[in-house]
Amino acid sequence: KIRDLNEVSYGAVIGAGEQGNQWQLVVALMNEMMQKGLTPDDTCVNAAISACERSSKLQWAWNLAHGTAQEHNASRSISSMPWRLARLGVNDPSAIQAACAGAMQQLKRARQPVKELSTLWWAAASLG
């Protein structure tokens, strides 16, 4: 077990696990990180989702996407949750509505970089 890691260290190991198709390791590291009270950033969550998705573990990917956003406020950019839902092919209207409503609230509060807006539009188009 790796000890005394911070968010950056966990992110590096999670990213390596994603590249090595080690979805179980990535999920274990995400859980360990959150148990230690560390908040995964969008890069960590997206790498973990990608590792699960590549291994056809879509339920694990959904659990990570939904759980980290709800319990640990990991979704910091306006496009994160809609992008995750679109990437995973989620078609649950209540999940889509909640993600889009959250994105709209964030959009109203602050100016967003062009990349965020284009990613949000892509996700919205993919979700229908």
Side-chain angles (χ1 to χ4, degrees):
K1 204 161 194 176
I2 303 170
R3 302 205 187 275
D4 299 325
L5 294 178
N6 61 22
E7 288 92 339
V8 174
S9 302
Y10 270 103
V13 177
I14 289 168
E18 173 204 5
Q19 294 302 311
N21 294 320
Q22 299 293 317
W23 75 272
Q24 292 169 317
L25 172 64
V26 168
V27 169
L29 288 168
M30 286 288 291
N31 287 331
E32 182 178 308
M33 184 180 188
M34 292 183 284
Q35 286 173 352
K36 289 183 175 183
L38 301 174
T39 302
D41 63 10
D42 284 339
T43 303
C44 285
V45 176
N46 291 340
I49 289 169
S50 180
C52 292
E53 182 184 31
R54 286 181 187 177
S55 298
S56 299
K57 304 298 181 189
L58 297 180
Q59 186 60 49
W60 283 97
W62 166 247
N63 291 345
L64 286 168
H66 186 69
T68 55
Q70 295 296 318
E71 296 174 25
H72 300 281
N73 197 24
S75 183
R76 292 192 174 111
S77 68
I78 63 165
S79 60
S80 294
M81 196 58 178
W83 178 84
R84 291 172 187 152
L85 294 178
R87 180 161 180 191
L88 295 172
V90 172
N91 58 10
D92 176 10
S94 62
I96 294 169
Q97 182 179 9
C100 291
M104 289 304 295
Q105 286 177 347
Q106 284 182 283
L107 190 58
K108 288 178 185 177
R109 282 184 276 194
R111 254 184 104 127
Q112 301 296 323
V114 173
K115 181 180 178 188
E116 284 294 319
L117 296 175
S118 64
T119 304
L120 181 59
W121 283 116
W122 174 85
S126 296
L127 291 167

